[in-house]
Structures are given as structure tokens and as C-alpha cells.
Amino acid sequence: MSRNGMLVILSGASGVGKSTLCKHIISSIPDIQLSVSYTTRPIRSGEEHGREYWFVNEETFRRMIDQQAFLEWAEVYGNLYGTPRRELMQLQDTGIDVILDIDIQGAKNVMTNAEDVVSVFLMPPSLEVLKSRLEARGTDDAEVVERRFQKAQTEMAHHVEYEYTMRNGSLEQAIREFESIVLAERVRTKRLDHAWLSRYGLIDKEVIE
Ligand code: 5GP
């Protein structure tokens, strides 16, 4: 292993295509996984416990907060969402990069409290497309859709807090950009375990000690 895994934050409005993008990245590049959050949100049809989220009740979630089980947690659209700390660290320790699909509050927390973070904000192609994607999902009622649409616009102004901002104009382009970010960040000199280079005889061990 050349280094510890890094945390790749991916934020953007719901309906913007984060899940689709993540699915592609996980299969197209090795050693990267998606963190599965805990949530109190009701399960949607097509979702599976343990795949999209760990669906728990509020009591369980609050107990986990007390036990400091979350790296971060936040209330989003009236439901609680949290990133489990232990699973994340286990992956990072084995050199696996972990994508966190989290909202702007969670991202802010992770940016200030965790090390080795890369942050990416994903914009929709346009507001019209975002609105129609939220509606087409058909899993939320009109009021929820409108609330998510309004919040999405407020959140988009926060993209300046992220290192990278992408626009999901075409999935193919977005995949290429996201892959490029991850691959380039992996080879940043600051992330290298220099002992790894010395194993190949490329640098003198004494230079790094
Ligand atoms: P959805 O309910 O549509 O799956 O997700 C709603 C929002 O919650 C999305 O913006 C998503 O990024 C965010 N989210 C999902 N998991 C977490 C988490 O563990 N922490 C935080 N802070 N936000 C999350």
C-alpha cells in the first residue's frame, strides 16, 4: 500500500446525479468505495437497507450520536443523516479511498475535523433539469420536491467552499472529471508513503528518515 485512503466529499442537490456518478467511479477505478450513511429517512422503493443507507429509527440514531459513532451528522430536510466513523477508518487504514455523499453542513464539519479530505461540489446542468429530475423521481410529494428545490439553490452558492466544482452536463464528462480529480489527488506528493518508493529502490531510505 502506498498511502492511507483519503476522504472524497461529494456534495450537490439531491437529484443532481451524485449516486449515478459514484456508482460509475466505484466500478471504473480501483480502491475506492462509497461510505454508507445512517439515516432516519423512510426507505424509498428500490432502496435496500445497507446499500443506499442504513435505515434506523431516531432513537437508534440519537444513541449513536451519544456513542460518538458518527464522524459527522446533520439534519437534512427534517431527517437525520450521519457518516459512521469506524467503517470509514477501517477502509482508510487499508488504503481505500472513501467517497462521502453528504450535504454542505456535513461537508463543512468533515473539512474542519478530518485529515486528508478532497471536496467536490456537483452542479446540475440547469435549474430546469434539476426541478424535473426531482419531480420525475416520484417518490416525494410536491411540497417535499419544492422544499428540496429551494434548498438546492441556496446550497449551490456554497460551492466556493469546495476545492472542485463540476457541472453534470453530461454523465460521461462528469465521470471523466471526477476520475481525474481522484487519480490526480492520489499522486500528490504529500499523500505518498515515501517508504513505498524506497521499496522499489527509487529513493534512498535515509533521505526519508
Ligand atoms: P437523500 O435523502 O436524497 O438520499 O439525501 C438527502 C441529502 O442528504 C443529500 O444532500 C445527501 O448528500 C445528504 N446526506 C446523505 N448522507 C449524509 C450524511 O451521512 N451526512 C450528511 N451531513 N448528509 C448526508
Side-chain angles (χ1 to χ4, degrees):
M1 182 188 34
S2 62
R3 57 182 179 84
N4 273 348
M6 60 189 176
L7 297 180
V8 184
I9 297 173
L10 180 66
S11 297
S14 36
V16 82
K18 285 174 295 177
S19 321
T20 312
L21 183 57
C22 288
K23 262 183 219 143
H24 279 86
I25 295 295
I26 284 160
S27 59
S28 70
I29 48 182
D31 300 329
I32 189 158
Q33 283 191 27
L34 190 60
S35 162
V36 180
S37 295
Y38 283 73
T39 186
T40 60
R41 159 167 88 57
I43 190 164
R44 293 187 187 127
S45 77
E47 289 183 330
E48 211 174 275
H49 183 64
R51 191 180 62 194
E52 281 77 14
Y53 289 101
W54 297 105
F55 296 91
V56 294
N57 61 27
E58 187 162 341
E59 189 190 340
T60 305
F61 196 98
R62 299 257 174 224
R63 196 174 335 114
M64 291 180 73
I65 296 175
D66 292 341
Q67 293 165 344
Q68 309 203 319
F70 297 123
L71 175 68
E72 64 73 36
W73 66 273
E75 185 175 330
V76 189
Y77 311 117
N79 295 303
L80 303 172
Y81 293 82
T83 306
R85 188 191 297 273
R86 187 151 36 103
E87 287 91 327
L88 210 78
M89 286 168 72
Q90 282 166 351
L91 288 170
Q92 284 189 283
D93 285 349
T94 53
I96 306 284
D97 297 323
V98 188
I99 305 178
L100 307 181
D101 169 350
I102 56 179
D103 83 318
I104 57 167
Q105 310 164 69
K108 215 172 197 166
N109 279 334
V110 176
M111 285 180 211
T112 39
N113 299 325
E115 282 174 26
D116 216 6
V117 177
V118 176
S119 53
V120 182
F121 193 94
L122 186 64
M123 293 271 186
S126 67
L127 287 180
E128 289 71 30
V129 172
L130 177 65
K131 183 89 185 261
S132 59
R133 281 194 195 156
L134 286 172
E135 287 166 350
R137 198 148 66 172
T139 49
D140 300 308
D141 61 32
E143 190 205 326
V144 174
V145 167
E146 186 53 33
R147 211 156 18 111
R148 286 181 179 238
F149 182 59
Q150 293 304 329
K151 186 158 189 270
Q153 293 177 68
T154 317
E155 288 206 348
M156 276 153 58
H158 286 264
H159 74 278
V160 289
E161 292 154 23
Y162 290 70
E163 289 165 289
Y164 297 93
T165 302
M166 294 168 39
R167 178 177 162 266
N168 196 0
S170 90
L171 179 62
E172 211 173 77
Q173 171 84 1
I175 292 170
R176 263 216 311 274
E177 287 176 357
F178 198 32
E179 279 176 352
S180 307
I181 292 168
V182 173
L183 295 177
E185 289 288 341
R186 278 182 178 179
V187 292
R188 269 190 195 275
T189 307
K190 69 167 187 187
R191 292 210 168 86
L192 274 188
D193 169 2
H194 292 269
W196 170 72
L197 284 180
S198 79
R199 279 203 295 282
Y200 290 91
L202 293 170
I203 54 166
D204 198 337
K205 221 173 167 190
E206 277 144 37
V207 175
I208 55 168
E209 278 169 358

